């Protein structure tokens, strides 16, 4: 289904009755409502960043719900789309941390370097945030985090906000690094996100472990 190593890694859960039932519900949602991201981008996070290549995981909650925004990658929007407030703040912190300026909201280049941009819920109804939060996606995306936790190579898990921090219990391998702070949303960015330096901390950890750093 994914077309890379994830198919093997996630074989058990993707062949389970739970996942078949979930996909049937999701297919019905696509048929009857406007769902984001487009169906072709449903598993884009896994397609873009193969299991063996994962160096960093940035956990999001659910996709952007505005027209043309969601593209299957947490926090990322299609090129040409106005930057959402949270992404604006991520870019502010990136500039303060590393002096890097980004204009496009498309984070595809991160994913090609081993950054898994994983939303906990992979779909949303147009203009209705968290509308698919209870459809059952969590079981699948938690399994993804568990499988990354099993990797022998060190991985950085970036957890922004209280929701993402609930995934901390899934990350038990002492080889990995957890970076957590408040969410970059305008409501909380000044209460601990700004100044948290997640990008330089990530690269310092990767460098220390002889892993190629991310060109943010």
């Amino acid at each position: 289904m994914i077309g890379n190593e994830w198919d093997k890694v996630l074989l058990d859960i993707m062949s389970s009755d739970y996942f078949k039932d979930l996909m049937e519900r999701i297919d019905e949602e696509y048929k009857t409502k406007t769902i984001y991201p487009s169906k072709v981008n449903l598993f884009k996070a896994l397609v873009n960043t193969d299991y063996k290549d994962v160096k960093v995981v940035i956990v999001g909650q659910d996709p952007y719900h505005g027209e043309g925004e969601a593209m299957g990658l947490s926090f990322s929007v299609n090129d040409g789309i106005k930057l959402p407030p949270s992404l604006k703040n991520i870019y502010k912190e990136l500039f303060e941390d590393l002096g890097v300026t980004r204009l496009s909201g498309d984070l595809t280049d991160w994913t090609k370097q081993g950054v898994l941009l994983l939303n906990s819920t992979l779909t949303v109804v147009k203009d209705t945030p968290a509308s698919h939060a209870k459809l059952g996606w969590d079981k699948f995306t938690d399994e993804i985090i568990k499988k990354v936790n099993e990797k022998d190579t060190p991985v950085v898990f970036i957890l922004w906000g209280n929701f993402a921090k609930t995934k901390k219990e899934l990350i038990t391998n002492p080889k990995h690094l957890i970076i957590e702070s408040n969410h970059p949303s305008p409501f909380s960015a000044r209460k601990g996100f700004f100044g948290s330096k997640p990008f330089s901390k990530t690269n310092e950890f990767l460098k220390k472990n002889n892993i190629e750093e991310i060109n943010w």
Side-chain angles (χ1 to χ4, degrees), residues 173-202:
N173 189 334
K175 291 185 177 182
H176 305 320
L177 174 68
I178 298 173
I179 296 175
E180 54 184 320
S181 73
N182 279 19
H183 196 276
S185 81
F187 304 106
S188 59
R190 297 189 185 283
K191 299 174 184 175
F193 175 73
F194 288 140
S196 62
K197 300 186 180 299
F199 307 103
S200 59
K201 287 177 181 175
T202 294

Side-chain angles (χ1 to χ4, degrees), residues 59 61 159-168 180-184 188:
V59 177
Q61 192 157 356
L159 309 178
W160 288 328
N162 290 334
F163 175 81
K165 289 176 188 176
T166 65
K167 306 302 177 183
K168 191 175 178 178
E180 54 184 320
S181 73
N182 279 19
H183 196 276
S188 59

Side-chain angles (χ1 to χ4, degrees), residues 14-143:
M14 290 174 73
S15 57
S16 68
D17 289 339
Y18 143 77
F19 192 74
K20 289 170 187 171
D21 291 343
L22 174 62
M23 288 299 95
E24 286 177 9
R25 290 198 299 274
I26 295 299
D27 284 343
E28 188 59 30
E29 289 286 293
Y30 273 107
K31 288 174 187 173
T32 57
K33 300 170 187 171
T34 301
I35 304 298
Y36 298 136
S38 62
K39 203 170 184 181
V40 70
N41 287 330
L42 187 55
F43 298 107
K44 188 167 187 173
L46 302 179
V47 171
N48 280 19
T49 311
D50 202 354
Y51 180 73
K52 67 181 186 301
D53 300 323
V54 176
K55 304 178 195 176
V56 182
V57 181
I58 301 181
V59 177
Q61 192 157 356
D62 66 341
Y64 296 119
H65 53 83
E67 186 173 354
E69 293 179 329
M71 56 181 298
L73 308 173
S74 63
F75 296 102
S76 181
V77 292
N78 286 298
D79 193 29
I81 296 293
K82 182 181 176 183
L83 297 184
S86 291
L87 187 54
K88 271 188 183 175
N89 286 337
I90 290 169
Y91 283 4
K92 280 182 186 176
E93 178 61 18
L94 176 58
F95 180 76
E96 291 299 322
D97 188 5
L98 292 175
V100 173
T101 299
R102 292 184 65 100
L103 299 176
S104 170
D106 185 345
L107 302 177
T108 298
D109 60 305
W110 290 3
T111 69
K112 299 299 185 182
Q113 299 177 73
V115 182
L116 180 64
L117 296 175
L118 181 68
N119 278 317
S120 183
T121 298
L122 296 187
T123 51
V124 69
V125 178
K126 180 184 178 183
D127 299 331
T128 317
S131 45
H132 280 179
K134 295 183 179 175
L135 264 183
W137 276 119
D138 268 13
K139 184 175 180 179
F140 176 63
T141 54
D142 282 358
E143 185 67 13

Side-chain angles (χ1 to χ4, degrees), residues 198-209:
F199 307 103
S200 59
K201 287 177 181 175
T202 294
N203 278 355
E204 285 165 12
F205 178 79
L206 294 176
K207 186 177 182 180
K208 187 176 76 175
N209 286 282

